[in-house]
Amino acid sequence: MNLKNLKDQVIVITGASSGIGLVTARMAAESGAKVVAAARNEEALKELVKELQEKGHTAMMVKADVGIEEDVKKIAEAALKEFGRFDTWVNNAGVTIYGYAMDVSIEDMKRMFDTNYWGVVYGSKEAVKHFKGRGVPGALINVGSLFGDRGTLIQSTYAPSKFAVHAWTESLRMELENENVPISVTLIHPGRIDTPYNEHATSYLDEQPIHKGMIYPPEAVAEAILYAAEHPKRDMFIGSQAKAIKLIGANFPRLTDKLMERFMPPTQYDPNRPSNLREEGNLYHAGYGMHERGTNIGWKRSSSMYVKASKHSALFKLAGVGLGILAWTAIRRSR
């Protein structure tokens, strides 16, 4: 399957007003792609499009809530009206809740699924319908999470929404392949990424949600997304931590339970900062826009070597061997 070069593409990006989506939109535009930026924050989108156009890039905006099917249809219609097509659709928009499973309300859980799962379903359907109608190869890229491969504590209601995204993506990929439909379906598996994700979160905690530990830049996710837009890829893992958690969790589930029960909770909040108010989260309304990074604490990586290795088969195999050795060493030490 041959996908177009980015400079010849029209690319739709949801959740483009901040974080991963914002960085991806900027990097796509710098590569020459025509950008269709979608999000709930209209003012941020206007600022983004103005910024890109002033640099000589081609971009347009669509105010949309991906949790509403009609809004997602509006994104596709706007792209077709302006450019006559789109070549890559990126389902990136997402929200999260920090709180223990029994504390989070069913209403909040359902709203999170509207965005994280149903938004991906709506976007996937629009993309597949368009690519099928054109009869030419296109790329559908869904942004999952390391917590879509392995459950966790505190974000215990967020993880199921990403599990659903992973299962949807795999199932859809198989159906399209079985029908010989030329669509590249890629699942992105980000590790901990330094975005305003924590500041936008709806929090049931007393302490402010954050990422602690090894944290990857949003540019690493954007790099993976844009690579998949040009090269058919099944999965792209952002950071060895994302791949390692998947491998260890699948092969040593009880060990992983114990390790996560002990070490995961304190890495998700800052005991020195009171939490934002619950209603300040972006679950039901747009969060602030035009910020690429958040207020996270830890080793902030400048890139992901795993992403770079996955773009080159020999390096990718070497990285896989290295992860296997690390996993085996961890298992031996735990005995």
Side-chain angles (χ1 to χ4, degrees):
M1 190 188 308
N2 294 317
L3 300 174
K4 292 180 180 179
N5 293 327
L6 271 175
K7 64 182 180 64
D8 300 318
Q9 287 201 29
V10 176
I11 181 169
V12 175
I13 304 168
T14 68
S17 62
S18 69
I20 292 169
L22 175 60
V23 173
T24 303
R26 285 170 166 162
M27 288 175 60
E30 289 291 340
S31 298
K34 297 177 176 65
V35 174
V36 180
R40 292 177 295 176
N41 190 325
E42 185 174 14
E43 291 306 310
L45 289 176
K46 288 179 179 177
E47 186 177 344
L48 172 61
V49 169
K50 180 181 178 182
E51 170 198 314
L52 297 180
Q53 290 177 343
E54 287 178 348
K55 292 181 178 179
H57 306 313
T58 303
M60 63 170 292
M61 55 155 282
V62 185
K63 180 185 178 183
D65 182 338
V66 299
I68 301 172
E69 186 176 7
E70 289 305 313
D71 275 20
V72 178
K73 290 180 182 293
K74 186 171 65 176
I75 299 171
E77 290 167 359
L80 295 178
K81 182 178 180 180
E82 182 71 18
F83 301 115
R85 72 180 204 281
F86 52 84
D87 305 288
T88 294
W89 184 293
V90 183
N91 284 312
N92 164 73
V95 295
T96 192
I97 298 173
Y98 280 72
Y100 287 94
M102 299 308 293
D103 295 335
V104 179
S105 73
I106 296 297
E107 180 184 11
D108 283 355
M109 290 187 204
K110 287 181 176 180
R111 175 56 186 164
M112 181 168 55
F113 263 80
D114 284 343
T115 299
N116 292 3
Y117 175 66
W118 286 109
V120 171
V121 172
Y122 302 148
S124 298
K125 282 181 170 285
E126 289 302 314
V128 170
K129 180 175 68 175
H130 177 64
F131 295 145
K132 273 188 171 183
R134 287 178 63 200
V136 297
L140 170 63
I141 302 171
N142 293 337
V143 178
S145 169
L146 80 165
F147 293 142
D149 292 315
R150 221 309 167 168
T152 186
L153 298 82
I154 296 181
Q155 291 189 78
S156 43
T157 58
Y158 168 79
S161 71
K162 289 298 186 177
F163 265 75
V165 168
H166 288 210
W168 163 261
T169 305
E170 291 183 355
S171 302
L172 179 61
R173 182 192 295 117
M174 288 188 290
E175 290 187 353
L176 294 173
E177 185 174 54
N178 200 42
E179 296 174 24
N180 294 314
V181 178
I183 300 176
S184 173
V185 181
T186 302
L187 179 61
I188 304 294
H189 305 246
R192 285 178 160 171
I193 310 300
D194 187 18
T195 70
Y197 170 94
N198 65 307
E199 294 289 345
H200 288 168
T202 294
S203 175
Y204 280 73
L205 305 179
D206 294 327
E207 302 86 2
Q208 175 60 25
I210 58 166
H211 290 322
K212 282 184 187 176
M214 185 164 62
I215 307 166
Y216 293 90
E219 287 83 358
V221 189
E223 180 183 359
I225 290 170
L226 297 180
Y227 182 78
E230 293 184 305
H231 307 85
K233 293 285 290 185
R234 176 187 176 88
D235 298 277
M236 293 287 286
F237 289 83
I238 316 315
S240 56
Q241 66 178 211
K243 185 66 173 180
I245 285 177
K246 178 178 175 66
L247 288 173
I248 298 173
N251 291 284
F252 305 96
R254 287 296 295 136
L255 170 65
T256 308
D257 286 350
K258 294 300 181 183
L259 290 173
M260 293 187 78
E261 287 165 15
R262 180 173 180 181
F263 297 111
M264 185 59 70
T267 70
Q268 297 192 76
Y269 56 81
D270 182 353
N272 298 313
R273 289 175 59 195
S275 175
N276 292 336
L277 297 176
R278 194 176 305 169
E279 54 269 23
E280 293 177 353
N282 70 348
L283 192 60
Y284 294 96
H285 57 79
Y288 61 84
M290 298 303 289
H291 286 71
E292 294 183 350
R293 286 169 167 75
T295 57
N296 302 294
I297 300 172
W299 177 23
K300 297 183 179 181
R301 302 285 302 276
S302 60
S303 64
S304 166
M305 294 306 298
Y306 197 86
V307 168
K308 297 186 183 303
S310 66
K311 294 160 65 175
H312 305 280
S313 58
L315 289 175
F316 186 63
K317 291 176 182 177
L318 184 61
V321 171
L323 278 175
I325 293 172
L326 286 173
W328 176 247
T329 301
I331 300 306
R332 296 274 296 182
R333 286 179 179 174
S334 68
R335 290 177 177 174

